[in-house]
Amino acid sequence: MSSPTQPAADYIGVDVSGVTLRAALVAHDGRVTERREAALERDNVAVQVARVAAELRDVSPRVAALGVGIPGLVNRETDCVIVSADLPSVVRSDLHAELRRATGLRVELENDANAAAYGEYSVGAGCGSRNMFYVTIGSGIGGALILDGRVWLGTSGFAGEFGHITIDPEGNECSCGNTGCLETYASAPNIVRRTHDRLFRDGTSSLSRLSMNRDFTAADIAREARNGDDFALLMIERTGRFIGTAVAAVINLLNIECIVMGGGVMEAGDLILDPIIREAGRRSFQPSFESAKIVTATLGGDAVSVGAALLARDSAAPA
Ligand SMILES: [Zn+2]
């Protein structure tokens, strides 16, 4: 703990999980005091992270540690990135050492979904709960589990693969090799695919007009649903039911206190959250459902960077 005369330390969190690098200067209490964003230099990640860390240290001289959220499997014991389908250049044994050398800071690497979960748990929608399941639904679907304040990694580090829960044994093939995974229905690209597949049945939807001009996105579908388009509403509602089916499995397995739903697809708000909750309620064991709080994430695009910074804060070896 800092003495009364000494201001508390700050932390830097960096998110390299998307096309944009997002960095945040985070105060000891989790407040973001400064942000930086730049196009991610995919083959130059260590140098870019060190550069943005240096910029943020010009803002605060009190930075104590750096946390980095990475789209891949990270061994927290050895600080090595073991697998990363989305960012292969970070799979190298000396990433952690290079970041330490370049910044002079203590460095913590963590999986992006785990980092986001820790952020929501510490200062976001899961704040105040002991046990929490975090789901992110965007271009892919991820999840992370926090039990008694710690990220639960599983035996070999893969715990929380919510997107690969089977919801249709005869469904489409998934990138993981299984068929009918939730991700093949409810990720943003698959919402668009399913919408395209059904559009010919309903030529009156505003999405038909939209799709004549350009390819529409999941965000467009959500916007049209908000504007009252029945077909877009139906697609969001059905997507929510698929997600709720998988949420029911989580509730039955864990009797969990809080489920936080994040990622771009959840920007549809109550239009998607309501069918998720309804379907989860219909398909799960009632006493478990009644004690589970299902809420949307509150940290938005800051979740990974804030969570990585707070993991760095809380990973300090005891003095
Ligand atoms: Zn799968």
Side-chain angles (χ1 to χ4, degrees):
M1 296 308 268
S2 50
S3 70
T5 52
Q6 197 182 9
D10 290 328
Y11 299 85
I12 293 172
V14 183
D15 173 5
V16 298
S17 65
V19 292
T20 301
L21 172 145
R22 293 161 173 264
L25 181 66
V26 179
H28 191 267
D29 61 5
R31 266 179 313 116
V32 176
T33 55
E34 195 81 22
R35 287 182 183 79
R36 293 286 184 279
E37 278 187 22
L40 180 66
E41 298 167 23
R42 304 184 62 82
D43 294 316
N44 201 28
V45 171
V47 170
Q48 194 184 13
V49 169
R51 195 165 61 225
V52 75
E55 281 177 35
L56 289 171
R57 291 176 86 185
D58 284 342
V59 179
S60 166
R62 298 187 305 275
V63 173
L66 164 69
V68 185
I70 288 174
L73 180 63
V74 180
N75 184 325
R76 298 267 290 140
E77 301 288 307
T78 60
D79 294 309
C80 270
V81 184
I82 299 162
V83 187
S84 179
D86 295 327
L87 194 58
S89 70
V90 297
V91 184
R92 34 177 275 209
S93 57
D94 58 347
L95 177 69
H96 184 260
E98 182 177 337
L99 283 171
R100 283 192 60 163
R101 204 164 43 237
T103 63
L105 292 169
R106 180 165 57 78
V107 175
E108 304 291 341
L109 307 179
E110 181 55 281
N111 166 268
D112 54 352
N114 290 346
Y118 198 72
E120 292 290 345
Y121 175 83
S122 304
V123 293
C127 192
S129 48
R130 248 169 100 85
N131 302 302
M132 184 194 104
F133 192 73
Y134 172 78
V135 172
T136 173
I137 304 179
S139 56
I141 297 183
L145 182 57
I146 294 189
L147 297 177
D148 281 334
R150 298 179 70 92
V151 177
W152 173 262
L153 299 172
T155 301
S156 50
F158 291 101
E161 284 294 353
F162 182 74
H164 300 286
I165 291 179
T166 300
I167 58 165
D168 178 1
E170 295 174 9
N172 290 330
E173 202 168 304
C174 180
S175 59
C176 75
N178 183 28
T179 53
C181 290
L182 175 65
E183 186 166 294
T184 66
Y185 288 84
S187 67
N190 281 302
I191 295 171
V192 171
R193 178 189 57 76
R194 284 174 32 240
T195 305
H196 269 294
D197 288 351
R198 292 181 65 109
L199 254 181
F200 72 95
R201 296 187 202 170
D202 185 355
T204 63
S205 168
S206 56
L207 287 172
S208 303
R209 296 194 298 277
L210 205 64
S211 63
M212 280 190 285
N213 299 325
R214 62 184 175 92
D215 285 341
F216 54 85
T217 63
D220 294 327
I221 300 168
R223 191 194 59 243
E224 293 305 317
R226 266 195 299 278
N227 292 339
D229 181 82
D230 285 341
F231 179 75
L233 263 171
L234 174 79
M235 293 311 297
I236 296 290
E237 157 92 23
R238 287 177 59 93
T239 301
R241 284 168 54 191
F242 289 129
I243 298 167
T245 302
V247 166
V250 171
I251 289 173
N252 279 355
L253 183 68
L254 298 174
N255 184 198
I256 196 95
E257 181 181 356
C258 184
I259 299 178
V260 175
M261 313 286 308
V265 168
M266 292 308 297
E267 282 165 22
D270 289 346
L271 290 182
I272 191 152
L273 185 66
D274 289 347
I276 289 172
I277 293 174
R278 266 200 312 277
E279 196 69 9
R282 209 162 19 225
R283 292 185 183 273
S284 59
F285 189 54
Q286 212 53 32
S288 293
F289 174 73
E290 281 164 10
S291 52
K293 197 167 62 170
I294 305 173
V295 293
T296 44
T298 56
L299 295 183
D302 286 335
V304 175
S305 54
V306 167
L310 295 179
L311 274 164
R313 179 194 69 183
D314 297 343
S315 300

